[in-house]
Structure formats: structure tokens, C-alpha cells
């Protein structure tokens, strides 16, 4: 399951010396017994999460060996259950726990990408590592309004061919998408 709320719940329970081994999204072995706890609800609004703290890593070394590229994720889950993909299994695991495929808003993306650009000048290229970046055309258009002036980094992204149309491809190209 998702880690943000689970880690917080675990740490709070552990600190208070409560039954931390009952924390959702975790399996624990405690006093010889295995606790296979259920999954927690999915986080519905990804905008409430803090940005990834890239400073936990040697980000300059990471970006340098990748020729200036940084991976950025603005979404979780894919709404499709393709036979060759694990998503149908993940959808079933998270059934009744909330909306499986979720996206950050364009505003949140711009905020996070501005921070990345300002804090890490070695970042010259983005790999937007969403499973399906263009699925929400409204978000893409909103993002396109300020991407070049606020961010201006070339990028690549994953799309499904059946969601591509001339307008979408033109928007991506104008934003600096080159793959």
C-alpha cells in the first residue's frame, strides 16, 4: 500500500508504545505471531502530499550520471487493465479503497518543478514517469499555459497512442516534449 500515512501511523504508534504491529499497509512479526494487516485507503488528493525530498540522495551525482535527467512523478495508478500489465492486480488489491488512478493538479506540478529547477541547477531534462501523462487533457492544457515560462525544461513522457491527437501532440511539442 501507499507509505505516507502508514509510516506516520507506525511512527506515532511506536513512539507512544502502542500496538504498532497493527498498522495498516504493513506486515509484522511480533512475539512470534505474523500480523498481515489490511491496506489503508488510498490518498485521494495527491496535492496534499509534500514534494519528494530529493536532498535525501546525492542528487547531483544521480543527475550527473544521467546526463542531467531527473525522474518526476505526478500521478499514481493507471485506469486501464491491460492483460500484459500488473495494474489489474493492483486495482483488485485496492478495490473499495478509493480511486486507483490519481493525478496531481497542474498548479502543484508547476510548484514542485519550479522548486526542483531552483534547487538543483544540474537538472536539465525531465522524465515524467507517470503511467499515462496525457489522460487528463484539461490538466495538460492548464500545465501548458505556464510550463515554458515557469519551467522550460525539455522532457519525455509516457502516453497511449489511442489518446494522441494532433492537438495533444502539438501541445506536448510546444511544451518541450521530445520523446
Amino acid at each position: 500500500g501507499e507509505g505516507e500515512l502508514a509510516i506516520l501511523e507506525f511512527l506515532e504508534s511506536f513512539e507512544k508504545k502502542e500496538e504498532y504491529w497493527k498498522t495498516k499497509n504493513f506486515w509484522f512479526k511480533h512475539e512470534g505471531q505474523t500480523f498481515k494487516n489490511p491496506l489503508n485507503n488510498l490518498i485521494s488528493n495527491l496535492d496534499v502530499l509534500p514534494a519528494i525530498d530529493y536532498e535525501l540522495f546525492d542528487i547531483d551525482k544521480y543527475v550527473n550520471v544521467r546526463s542531467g535527467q531527473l525522474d518526476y512523478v505526478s500521478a499514481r495508478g493507471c485506469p486501464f487493465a491491460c492483460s500484459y500489465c500488473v495494474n489489474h492486480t493492483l486495482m483488485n488489491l485496492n478495490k473499495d479503497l478509493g480511486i486507483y488512478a490519481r493525478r496531481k493538479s497542474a498548479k502543484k506540478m508547476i510548484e514542485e518543478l519550479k522548486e526542483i529547477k531552483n534547487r538543483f541547477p544540474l537538472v536539465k531534462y525531465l522524465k515524467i514517469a507517470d503511467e499515462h501523462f496525457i489522460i487528463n487533457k484539461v490538466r495538460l492544457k492548464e500545465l501548458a499555459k505556464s510550463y515554458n515560462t515557469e519551467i522550460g525544461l525539455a522532457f519525455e513522457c509516457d502516453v497511449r497512442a489511442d489518446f494522441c491527437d494532433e492537438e495533444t501532440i502539438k501541445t506536448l511539442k510546444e511544451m518541450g516534449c521530445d520523446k
Side-chain angles (χ1 to χ4, degrees):
E2 296 178 325
E4 294 88 356
L5 299 178
I7 289 286
L8 182 60
E9 182 183 333
F10 164 73
L11 291 173
E12 288 173 350
S13 297
F14 187 81
E15 188 176 73
K16 294 176 186 175
K17 298 184 181 4
E18 296 176 347
E19 297 177 322
Y20 66 86
W21 55 89
K22 293 185 178 177
T23 305
K24 288 183 177 180
N25 289 10
F26 280 101
W27 287 12
F28 288 99
K29 191 160 208 152
H30 178 73
E31 296 179 355
Q33 185 178 357
T34 301
F35 290 83
K36 296 179 179 182
N37 298 313
L39 292 174
N40 209 343
N41 289 332
L42 296 171
I43 299 167
S44 61
N45 180 3
L46 299 183
D47 284 2
V48 303
L49 297 174
I52 292 172
D53 186 357
Y54 290 100
E55 289 183 349
L56 292 171
F57 312 97
D58 186 347
I59 197 68
D60 288 342
K61 182 178 180 181
Y62 175 79
V63 169
N64 207 22
V65 300
R66 299 183 79 221
S67 302
Q69 178 180 309
L70 180 73
D71 291 0
Y72 174 78
V73 178
S74 73
R76 290 187 182 171
C78 176
F80 302 103
C82 302
S83 61
Y84 55 82
C85 185
V86 71
N87 268 317
H88 64 280
T89 301
L90 295 174
M91 286 177 181
N92 286 334
L93 281 173
N94 290 282
K95 189 176 180 178
D96 302 324
L97 297 176
I99 298 169
Y100 178 66
R102 295 145 293 145
R103 314 257 170 280
K104 291 178 184 175
S105 69
K107 180 181 176 191
K108 178 73 168 182
M109 287 180 68
I110 292 294
E111 287 172 13
E112 290 181 351
L113 292 171
K114 275 173 65 173
E115 184 69 19
I116 287 168
K117 186 177 173 184
N118 291 335
R119 290 175 87 179
F120 308 111
L122 292 179
V123 174
K124 303 294 182 205
Y125 188 84
L126 295 171
K127 161 63 176 161
I128 300 177
D130 300 355
E131 291 181 272
H132 189 1
F133 180 60
I134 64 168
I135 193 167
N136 184 326
K137 305 280 179 139
V138 173
R139 181 182 85 144
L140 181 63
K141 286 179 184 177
E142 188 177 335
L143 183 63
K145 288 178 189 174
S146 57
Y147 184 84
N148 286 334
T149 57
E150 300 284 338
I151 311 304
L153 295 173
F155 68 95
E156 65 182 83
C157 62
D158 294 328
V159 301
R160 278 178 48 135
D162 58 341
F163 277 73
C164 294
D165 56 39
E166 194 170 326
E167 181 183 353
T168 301
I169 297 301
K170 183 179 177 193
T171 299
L172 288 170
K173 175 131 177 80
E174 289 171 355
M175 289 172 63
C177 180
D178 62 5
K179 291 183 190 168

